[in-house]
Amino acid sequence: RGGAERLWVLECMVQPLAVRFRFHFQGNRKTNRLDKPEWFFSYQIARLKEHMRLLDVLLEPSLRLASLLFHASVRLPAGNSSP
């Protein structure tokens, strides 16, 4: 089977993150503010930090095996601000 067919696992893992993101940044939520883009970016950076081990240890080798490697490691800025 092709590597792209194996990505359904990744879709299942990302789905809860997408639900949380939509909860905070769509609709009439107080966090959904165009004048506060830093809230969006802070949220995304915090989620990346939470899942860095998953990206480095599990996801990147799996993508390498599936010939879909795009180097999952991300350099994150120091500090942590949140909405």
Side-chain angles (χ1 to χ4, degrees), residues 4-71:
E5 293 175 1
R6 297 181 198 152
L7 291 180
W8 66 269
V9 173
L10 181 59
E11 289 177 16
C12 290
M13 294 169 62
V14 169
Q15 208 269 337
L17 295 171
V19 168
R20 285 178 61 189
F21 178 84
R22 285 191 296 270
F23 174 83
H24 289 290
F25 299 102
Q26 289 182 350
N28 295 326
R29 303 276 181 216
K30 291 180 181 181
T31 50
N32 185 18
R33 293 182 51 181
L34 292 176
D35 64 328
K36 296 288 188 179
E38 65 272 17
W39 290 1
F40 163 82
F41 291 115
S42 294
Y43 181 86
Q44 295 295 51
I45 289 170
R47 298 301 75 78
L48 283 171
K49 285 181 178 180
E50 286 175 6
H51 296 91
M52 189 57 68
R53 185 173 186 281
L54 173 70
L55 292 172
D56 284 341
V57 175
L58 298 174
L59 181 60
E60 189 170 341
S62 297
L63 291 173
R64 187 182 310 277
L65 287 173
S67 300
L68 296 171
L69 180 65
F70 57 86
H71 195 61

